[in-house]
Amino acid sequence: MKSKQSSGISLLSFVLLLLAIACNKADHTDSESEDITKGEEVINATPLTGTNPTCMYAPNYGDTILFTKPTTGGDFFVNPVNNSGVQGTYLSWPDGLMLNRTTGVINLSQSETGVRYKVAFVKKGTTDTCTSQLVVGGMTYLDHIYALDQNDTLAKPVFNADPFGPSICDASDDTDYPDNNSSGNNRCQFDNAAPGSKANDQKLRVRTTSGIINLKKSMADGMFGPNLRNGDFKMIPILYKLNDASNNATQTITVQVMYFDKVSSIPQNLQLEVASKNFSMFNYQIVNGKPRPPLLIIAGLSR
C-alpha cells in the first residue's frame, strides 16, 4: 500500500486539514514567458484521443507528459498539434513554462521540469478560455519541514509530478557521494556537474545514484558554516540525467535549503506555503504561484 510522506509535525497536519476543508480552485495568472525566437528543434506529436470535445481549441501537445530531449547546439521545443491557422493567445500557469503566447510552442529545455501546468488558448475575437493540463517530465523534491530530532532527514526525489509514483532510480546508501568517486549509474546520475560546481561541493549531500539528499549529513558537514542563524538559506542547483523518455538529457533543478533551530521558530507564512504546496502536490492540483524552487526547511527540533 502506498503512503504519503509524513511531515511528523502536528501544526502542518492541522493546516493541511484546514486546507482540505476550505480549499477552492486557485485563480490563475497569465504566464510572463517571453516569445520563443529560436528555431533549432521543434516536434509535432500524435494527437491525443481524449481531448475535451466541448472545447476544440484546448491546447493539445500529443501527450499529457512532455519530456525534454538531448539536442545538438540548441533547445528542444514542442508544438501544439491543434489550432493550426487559428489566431489567439496562449497562456499558462503556474510560473515556469516557457510558452510562446502567439504560437503555443513550448521550450522544454528552458521550462521547469517535474511540474504540473495548465495551458490555455483564447481564440481571437472571443473571451472563451479553453484549457488543458500537462506535466513537464522530470524530477523535483517536495516542499517540506525536516525535523532532525524526529529522524526526518532524507529529501527524496519525486518524478513527473507524481508523489505516489515509484522512483525510476536505484536505491543507494550514505557512501553514494562524489567524495567516494560515485557518479550514478546507467539509470540515473545526480549532481554530475563539473568539480567545483557540484551541490556536494556546497555540502548539500546529494546521492548520485538515487538523488536522495541527506540533510542531517549536510548539516553535520557544515553546509551553513559554524555559526548557525535562523533563516539562513542557500539556493543550490543540482544537475541530473535520467534514462527515461528524456533520453539522458541534462536537466537542472535548484533547491532552496533553509535552517531554523526549531519548528516553532519558522514563520507562519513559510509553514503555510509548505502546507499549501504539499496539499496541491498530493491532490494532483496546480500549484498557485511559483512551484519552484522546492523549499527544504531544516529544523533542529520539532517543538
Side-chain angles (χ1 to χ4, degrees):
M1 178 181 296
K2 297 177 181 177
S3 61
K4 298 181 181 179
Q5 181 173 347
S6 171
S7 67
I9 300 168
S10 59
L11 175 59
L12 283 182
S13 299
F14 177 69
V15 172
L16 283 171
L17 178 61
L18 291 180
L19 285 170
I21 295 172
C23 180
N24 292 315
K25 186 178 292 184
D27 293 334
H28 73 266
T29 56
D30 294 350
S31 169
E32 296 181 354
S33 300
E34 297 178 355
D35 284 356
I36 298 169
T37 57
K38 300 177 183 178
E40 286 88 347
E41 185 163 350
V42 179
I43 67 167
N44 286 293
T46 303
L48 284 172
T49 58
T51 303
N52 184 354
T54 64
C55 197
M56 64 182 295
Y57 299 114
N60 180 352
Y61 291 89
D63 205 341
T64 54
I65 303 180
L66 306 178
F67 293 89
T68 188
K69 308 284 185 184
T71 63
T72 55
D75 291 342
F76 186 77
F77 300 87
V78 61
N79 263 340
V81 299
N82 61 340
N83 298 340
S84 177
V86 181
Q87 292 186 318
T89 301
Y90 287 87
L91 312 168
S92 68
W93 63 95
D95 293 347
L97 192 68
M98 290 298 295
L99 174 72
N100 186 306
R101 292 164 60 92
T102 302
T103 65
V105 173
I106 297 173
N107 184 333
L108 290 176
S109 299
Q110 299 298 322
S111 296
E112 295 284 1
T113 57
V115 178
R116 186 178 304 275
Y117 297 96
K118 274 194 176 179
V119 184
F121 180 76
V122 182
K123 184 182 177 183
K124 185 176 181 180
T126 76
T127 58
D128 296 332
T129 304
C130 296
T131 65
S132 58
Q133 189 173 132
L134 60 83
V135 170
V136 176
M139 182 270 289
T140 191
Y141 295 93
L142 289 176
D143 295 73
H144 191 65
I145 296 174
Y146 296 85
L148 299 186
D149 67 337
Q150 298 297 308
N151 202 31
D152 188 12
T153 63
L154 301 179
K156 300 178 181 180
V158 172
F159 298 93
N160 303 332
D162 184 358
F164 303 114
S167 175
I168 65 174
C169 303
D170 292 329
S172 63
D173 59 20
D174 231 19
T175 63
D176 180 27
Y177 301 108
D179 299 353
N180 297 325
N181 296 317
S182 295
S183 58
N185 60 16
N186 62 349
R187 298 188 67 183
C188 302
Q189 298 176 31
F190 293 93
D191 202 23
N192 57 349
S197 300
K198 297 179 182 293
N200 275 279
D201 293 330
Q202 297 190 54
K203 308 302 182 185
L204 183 66
R205 294 311 188 187
V206 183
R207 296 176 183 173
T208 69
T209 299
S210 64
I212 291 173
I213 302 174
N214 187 329
L215 295 168
K216 183 177 181 179
K217 181 173 175 59
S218 300
M219 294 298 296
D221 289 350
M223 179 172 58
F224 289 112
N227 301 313
L228 296 175
R229 295 177 299 177
N230 283 340
D232 281 349
F233 73 93
K234 282 188 172 184
M235 304 284 285
I236 302 178
I238 303 170
L239 266 64
Y240 67 96
K241 293 181 179 181
L242 305 176
N243 190 9
D244 59 3
S246 66
N247 296 337
N248 286 302
T250 297
Q251 302 181 63
T252 305
I253 181 172
T254 296
V255 297
Q256 182 176 6
V257 188
M258 186 173 289
Y259 169 80
F260 290 90
D261 59 350
K262 53 185 180 291
V263 170
S264 58
S265 297
I266 302 172
Q268 186 179 24
N269 67 306
L270 288 181
Q271 297 195 41
L272 289 172
E273 177 184 340
V274 169
S276 176
K277 288 183 177 179
N278 271 270
F279 181 84
S280 296
M281 174 70 81
F282 283 124
N283 287 278
Y284 299 100
Q285 295 178 354
I286 303 297
V287 173
N288 191 34
K290 294 184 177 181
R292 291 289 183 84
L295 178 58
L296 313 181
I297 301 179
I298 303 171
L301 301 173
S302 58
R303 57 181 173 84

